[in-house]
Every structure is written in C-alpha cells, then in structure tokens.
Amino acid sequence: MQYTETFKEIRTQSGYPYNIFLVGFMGTGKTTLSGFLKKHTGIEELDMDSTIEKQQGMTISKIFEEKGEPYFRSLETKLLVELQSKSGLLVSCGGGVVLREENVAEMKKSGLVVLLTAKPETILERVKNNDDRPLLRGNKNVPFIENLLNQRMPKYMAAADLIVETDGRKKEDIAEELCRKLLERL
Ligand code: S3P
C-alpha cells in the first residue's frame, strides 16, 4: 500500500529525528491508528494510557478513582518529559493531554502534534461499548460529548501541527492522509 512506501520515504528522507504525537478527543481513533501504522510500517509505537497503567500497576479508571484526575494529569506530564530522550516514536496520547500547556510544550520539543478529529455522533458510536474511560461513565450521550469537545477544541487546535478528520473513513485512508501531510512538512 502506498502509505507504507510513503512512511519509508519519510523515515529515509528525514532520518526520522522526531516523535509524532497523536492527540484528539476520546474515540477519535488514536490508538487504532498507531497500532495500524506500527503493523504496516514497523514504526515504534507508544500508547500513553497503557504505559501509565504499566508504570502504576493500575488501570486508568482505578487511578482516577483512587488518586484523582489531577494526579493522573501529572503522570501524563511526567511521561511526556521522559519521552524527551526518545525519537522515532509514534505516541498515542490520552485525550486530555492537551489540557495542560506544559504538555503541549513538551510534545513540541521533540516532535509534531497530529490532531485526529471526529463528530460527537461518531465518537459516541466508537466509545459506547467501552467502560474504560472514567470521564464518559454515565455520560455516553451526544450532548455531553459535544459539550466537552467544544470546551477542549481551542486547546486541540492550538496544539495541532496537522489535522486529520476520521469520520466515516477507513484506517488505510486516514493513514494515507497522515503520511501525505507529514511528507509535506519535511
Ligand atoms: C481521557 C482520555 C483517555 C484517558 C483518560 C482521560 C480524557 O484516553 O487518558 O480516560 O481526558 O480525554 P483516550 O483518549 O485514549 O480514550
């Protein structure tokens, strides 16, 4: 597939000296896309939520429940600082990572920030059968999602170097667009 070639080209041309951070609201497909790109391009992938879960020996839900959201947000910041020593990573971020300005600054130091977007209806469809997201527990409806998305949108937009829409699109198509836009940035 073309994006596989494109990705190889990106890595060859640039020596791939930076990290790519996938950001976006819950359910915009960050983890799915990074898993897909890892499989098809061999890029090293890091999922922030799973890394934090491993580091803490606790699920994200438990961390929220027992230690609270601010504690979780500090773990996100700590992990982003740790990532400064790495390069060539595709990082799938938690949906709230852009909430702290210092997180955005950390990401920009070592890489490019790619925003994935989706409509509230699409997001609901993608998250409705999953109970791992504490912020959506009891809130799985379009008005709640739309409201939180609107609150966060200025921060997502301010952080984004590139934007890729995901509504109604296949992984292949999204990956293709991401790679094309990355190439244009080289
Ligand atoms: C959160 C998103 C989640 C996870 C946590 C908080 C958020 O990640 O980090 O539940 O504040 O948007 P995903 O975007 O991968 O679901």
Side-chain angles (χ1 to χ4, degrees):
M1 275 178 195
Q2 205 194 326
Y3 59 80
T4 311
E5 289 313 310
T6 314
F7 223 87
K8 273 189 203 142
E9 201 180 325
I10 291 169
R11 300 179 88 175
T12 317
Q13 270 194 28
S14 65
Y16 201 66
Y18 52 83
N19 297 313
I20 298 171
F21 295 92
L22 294 180
V23 304
F25 201 81
M26 297 169 268
T28 48
K30 303 172 297 273
T31 306
T32 307
L33 181 64
S34 64
F36 181 80
L37 283 171
K38 178 186 174 178
K39 184 170 164 205
H40 292 279
T41 67
I43 186 170
E44 197 183 338
E45 178 216 22
L46 185 139
D47 185 275
M48 283 188 67
D49 283 348
S50 348
T51 306
I52 289 174
E53 287 186 333
K54 268 185 225 129
Q55 286 177 342
Q56 298 296 306
M58 235 190 265
T59 62
I60 302 293
S61 294
K62 262 264 172 282
I63 299 173
F64 267 70
E65 212 177 289
E66 291 189 4
K67 315 249 178 165
E69 185 174 341
Y71 181 84
F72 172 72
R73 299 294 172 205
S74 300
L75 295 175
E76 289 186 308
T77 304
K78 187 172 147 276
L79 178 55
L80 286 171
V81 173
E82 283 165 22
L83 293 182
Q84 289 307 317
S85 59
K86 311 243 179 206
S87 66
L89 280 183
L90 178 63
V91 183
S92 169
C93 298
V97 91
V98 298
L99 297 177
R100 283 194 181 180
E101 264 174 42
E102 58 186 311
N103 291 355
V104 177
E106 285 305 324
M107 293 191 280
K108 302 256 181 201
K109 273 191 215 163
S110 75
L112 278 180
V113 178
V114 177
L115 173 64
L116 299 185
T117 65
K119 294 193 184 102
E121 292 76 7
T122 309
I123 291 171
L124 178 62
E125 204 45 44
R126 292 180 185 159
V127 301
K128 68 179 183 194
N129 296 323
N130 180 297
D131 272 331
D132 297 340
R133 296 179 174 96
L135 296 180
L136 293 182
R137 211 159 288 150
N139 293 321
K140 286 191 199 136
N141 57 74
V142 168
F144 178 88
I145 292 172
E146 190 165 31
N147 183 40
L148 189 57
L149 185 58
N150 287 342
Q151 276 176 38
R152 288 181 174 187
M153 200 41 100
K155 297 204 167 166
Y156 286 128
M157 296 306 282
D161 294 304
L162 304 173
I163 302 175
V164 181
E165 289 178 15
T166 68
D167 290 291
R169 300 177 73 185
K170 288 190 187 145
K171 286 178 279 208
E172 286 84 347
D173 194 23
I174 296 166
E176 191 88 50
E177 182 177 331
L178 169 62
C179 291
R180 184 172 47 73
K181 289 189 165 169
L182 283 172
L183 260 187
E184 285 166 11
R185 291 287 304 230
L186 292 183

